[in-house]
Amino acid sequence: MTVTKTASYEILTESSAAALAVRLGLFSSSSTLTCREIGDGNLNLVFHVYDQGQQKGLIIKQAVPYAKVVGESWPLSLDRARIESSALIRQAEHAPHLVPKVYYSDTELAVTVLEDLSRLQIARKGLLEGNDYPHLSEDIGEFLGKTLFYSSDYALDPKIKERLVKQFTNPDLCDITGNLVFTDPFFDHETNDFEEELRDEAEKMWSNEALKLEAKKLKKQFSTSAETLIHGDLHTGSIFAGENETKVIDPEFAFFGPIGFDIGQFIANLLLNALAREENRRAPLYSHVETVWNTFSRTFSEAWEKDCLDYYKSTPGELEAVLKKTFEDAAGFAGCEMIRRTIGLAHVADLDAIVPFERRISQKKLALNIGAELIEKRSDFRTPKDIIEAFQNQLKE
Ligand code: SR1
Ligand code: MG
């Protein structure tokens, strides 16, 4: 059961995190606990508390009042902990098997206590080790189809939706995405981070006014299209995966945004992983790109048939139009994500770990070119096969 309580804020240590778990009655005071801080993300502390005797663990995640990746010079609201636990609870209403259980949350302490998923692996890490996760894209497609439909205007009473939009107002984290995904990588901005060997490519992009205009349109869409409650940061580091199980974690960037955003980010990160692989190991990624869209669109359509409000359902062609627009948006958002993970702040190991250095640079140039094509030609892309074809054509050039 989820309990939400308040206590005054202090940054947890390994020992105070373990003590908190006991105080909350999640372990008995006589248990032998180990507690390790295992957070490797950009923003938060993550403690793994484990009871040796019962062989039972849990995760305590705590937001700190700044962006960990940069340090105290970048203050950040603690409210993201409330957003994250509320989003997980809402997602669990529609896809309980695809998110971790929330045992406890505390908005003052900015803490969420979560199911221990250490039986699974972060998908990015596993994909880089060569795991293909046969169920990954079907599970993510189902997660997206259900969560994105059931928080949209197509399913919600307008007054309830307005209340939810307020509840999930997330200005600090939306600002991070607005800057790091849509603005900074398209200008010579101090947050950008790339090898000198990419400077010519970056400068070419910064002088491409047509591309910058399209990126601006996508940013406006991200900030103004309150279509549904999105995860907001659905890269492969926000997914735990196993052979038969998938869990979506870390929805601290959740807010009411465009339906295509999460789909685009997931597809971009699949393509970044494909760039890390040799051609003969890319087929599972291509198949994930197809499956995630096909499953999303099937699940969303089934939910629409079953639960769409009459007002929208009665318009012939409305569902088809929504799906077409969503695909186009997803292609554009995927392009922005590929570019920002290549030259912006907060890279991904898929590209940064490529060796030798010359190959890393050539794959990063490809990421920039593919990203630009996805943004500029997004209205030409109608199916996942079109995206894969464009990706493969860029590899041939
Ligand atoms: C300052 S936060 C940098 C990035 O980390 C998160 O995971 C998001 O992707 C964000 O853009
Ligand atoms: Mg995260």
Side-chain angles (χ1 to χ4, degrees), residues 66-81:
Y66 51 86
K68 218 177 69 180
V69 65
V70 175
E72 294 184 33
S73 61
W74 187 336
L76 206 54
S77 143
L78 297 174
D79 195 41
R80 63 189 188 273

Side-chain angles (χ1 to χ4, degrees), residues 3 8 13 24-25 32-33 41 55 74 86 89-90 98 107 121 145 200 229 235 249 299 327-328 341 345 382 389:
V3 188
S8 57
T13 61
L24 293 172
T32 317
L33 296 182
Q55 305 214 332
W74 187 336
S86 314
I89 290 163
R90 192 159 171 84
L98 296 170
T107 50
Q121 196 181 20
D200 285 351
L229 180 62
H235 55 85
I249 61 166
T299 311
F327 192 78
E328 177 183 328
R341 295 295 182 190
L345 185 84
R382 298 290 159 88
E389 213 176 279

Side-chain angles (χ1 to χ4, degrees), residues 61 233 235 238 250 252-253:
K61 181 167 176 180
D233 194 28
H235 55 85
S238 296
D250 277 6
E252 64 202 316
F253 283 77

Side-chain angles (χ1 to χ4, degrees), residues 149 299-308 313 319-320:
F149 176 80
T299 311
F300 191 93
S301 304
E302 283 166 4
W304 178 290
E305 282 312 317
K306 194 163 153 275
D307 290 318
C308 185
K313 204 175 173 181
L319 171 62
E320 292 69 22

Side-chain angles (χ1 to χ4, degrees), residues 182-196 198-213 216 339-340 342-344 368 372:
F182 295 104
T183 307
D184 302 357
F186 297 93
F187 296 87
D188 188 4
H189 199 276
E190 62 184 7
T191 58
N192 290 330
D193 172 21
F194 57 86
E195 296 83 349
E196 225 14 68
L198 290 174
R199 179 159 293 277
D200 285 351
E201 296 291 319
E203 284 179 352
K204 213 163 74 200
M205 245 181 40
W206 298 337
S207 60
N208 182 344
E209 295 302 330
L211 173 67
K212 283 160 55 174
L213 176 64
K216 277 184 195 169
I339 291 173
R340 69 75 66 114
T342 309
I343 59 166
L368 294 177

Side-chain angles (χ1 to χ4, degrees), residues 47-83:
F47 298 93
H48 181 232
V49 190
Y50 191 74
D51 179 343
Q52 299 288 354
Q54 289 194 69
Q55 305 214 332
K56 198 183 92 184
L58 51 77
I59 294 295
I60 299 183
K61 181 167 176 180
Q62 185 182 42
V64 290
Y66 51 86
K68 218 177 69 180
V69 65
V70 175
E72 294 184 33
S73 61
W74 187 336
L76 206 54
S77 143
L78 297 174
D79 195 41
R80 63 189 188 273
R82 177 190 66 80
I83 296 273

Side-chain angles (χ1 to χ4, degrees), residues 6-205:
T6 56
S8 57
Y9 185 79
E10 63 179 50
I11 292 187
L12 293 173
T13 61
E14 290 180 345
S15 73
S16 63
L20 173 67
V22 172
R23 213 163 56 241
L24 293 172
L26 298 164
F27 295 107
S28 98
S29 52
S30 60
S31 46
T32 317
L33 296 182
T34 57
C35 179
R36 276 188 319 123
E37 203 281 310
I38 55 166
D40 60 357
N42 294 322
L43 298 178
N44 307 296
L45 296 173
V46 180
F47 298 93
H48 181 232
V49 190
Y50 191 74
D51 179 343
Q52 299 288 354
Q54 289 194 69
Q55 305 214 332
K56 198 183 92 184
L58 51 77
I59 294 295
I60 299 183
K61 181 167 176 180
Q62 185 182 42
V64 290
Y66 51 86
K68 218 177 69 180
V69 65
V70 175
E72 294 184 33
S73 61
W74 187 336
L76 206 54
S77 143
L78 297 174
D79 195 41
R80 63 189 188 273
R82 177 190 66 80
I83 296 273
E84 172 159 352
S85 56
S86 314
L88 284 168
I89 290 163
R90 192 159 171 84
Q91 290 159 350
E93 286 172 25
H94 303 292
H97 54 300
L98 296 170
V99 289
K101 291 190 183 73
V102 177
Y103 298 132
Y104 173 84
S105 66
D106 184 323
T107 50
E108 287 291 313
L109 206 47
V111 148
T112 310
V113 183
L114 297 155
E115 180 184 2
D116 181 5
L117 297 174
S118 47
R119 61 185 181 280
L120 305 174
Q121 196 181 20
I122 287 293
R124 185 184 312 285
K125 194 161 178 289
L127 289 167
L128 278 170
E129 286 170 8
N131 295 332
D132 294 334
Y133 299 122
H135 300 289
L136 176 69
S137 43
E138 211 172 312
D139 288 345
I140 297 300
E142 180 189 343
F143 171 84
L144 292 169
K146 289 182 173 163
T147 58
L148 298 176
F149 176 80
Y150 283 105
S151 286
S152 74
D153 293 88
Y154 309 119
L156 289 178
D157 173 271
K159 285 186 189 151
I160 295 178
K161 190 194 163 205
E162 274 315 304
R163 269 210 300 278
L164 285 169
V165 170
K166 277 202 193 109
Q167 183 191 347
F168 285 98
T169 298
N170 196 355
D172 272 23
L173 276 69
C174 285
D175 190 48
I176 290 182
T177 305
N179 291 328
L180 297 188
V181 177
F182 295 104
T183 307
D184 302 357
F186 297 93
F187 296 87
D188 188 4
H189 199 276
E190 62 184 7
T191 58
N192 290 330
D193 172 21
F194 57 86
E195 296 83 349
E196 225 14 68
E197 287 74 2
L198 290 174
R199 179 159 293 277
D200 285 351
E201 296 291 319
E203 284 179 352
K204 213 163 74 200
M205 245 181 40

